[in-house]
């Protein structure tokens, strides 16, 4: 699993400095948010975001999806159906938004 604190401290060779745009609220991205965005762009590992309620997890996930390729298979998992439905409306079409239950049920149905 990717430890984002390592990403923030480790020197990384990048072809160019990427402009991640601005945070929807107008506040600059935090160093941790930039590390998450860069991990998605570098596509070096899975990213796990653990944070308290209201800290901007969904915002950073939505922003990071701008840097994915349409052919990539991406799953976003939610704990309840209403959040999964909201995510499905907010993410690109190549991203599946499901509950853990729905993902498991789909796997069982596939055999």
């Amino acid at each position: 699993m990717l430890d984002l604190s390592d990403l923030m401290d480790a020197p990384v060779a990048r072809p160019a400095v990427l402009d991640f745009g601005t945070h929807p609220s107008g506040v600059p991205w935090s160093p941790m948010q930039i590390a998450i965005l860069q991990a998605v762009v570098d596509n070096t590992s899975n990213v796990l975001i653990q944070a308290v309620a209201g800290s901007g997890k969904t915002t950073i996930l939505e922003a990071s999806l701008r840097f994915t390729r349409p052919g990539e298979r991406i799953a976003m998992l939610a704990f309840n159906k209403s959040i999964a439905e909201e995510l499905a409306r907010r993410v690109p079409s190549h991203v599946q938004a499901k509950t853990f239950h729905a993902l498991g049920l789909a796997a069982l149905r596939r055999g």
Side-chain angles (χ1 to χ4, degrees):
M1 189 62 61
L2 178 65
D3 181 355
L4 292 177
S5 61
D6 291 341
L7 279 178
M8 291 176 55
D9 299 330
V12 177
R14 296 188 180 98
V17 175
L18 293 171
D19 177 12
F20 293 117
T22 58
H23 188 283
S25 69
V27 176
W29 294 112
S30 73
M32 185 63 74
Q33 290 170 319
I34 290 172
I36 292 166
L37 292 169
Q38 192 63 56
V40 171
V41 169
D42 293 344
N43 197 20
T44 55
S45 181
N46 294 326
V47 177
L48 172 65
I49 300 172
Q50 294 178 316
V52 298
S55 61
K57 294 178 295 294
T58 303
T59 301
I60 195 66
L61 286 170
E62 283 185 88
S64 66
L65 292 173
R66 294 189 311 222
F67 301 100
T68 61
R69 292 176 294 283
E72 289 181 298
R73 293 178 52 189
I74 299 170
M76 294 182 74
L77 299 176
F79 284 104
N80 66 52
K81 187 176 178 179
S82 65
I83 298 300
E85 289 169 348
E86 179 185 345
L87 284 172
R89 287 190 301 272
R90 294 168 69 170
V91 299
S93 61
H94 69 282
V95 177
Q96 289 188 22
K98 295 183 176 213
T99 62
F100 286 91
H101 181 130
L103 180 68
L105 184 60
L108 289 172
R109 286 184 174 159
R110 273 193 306 264

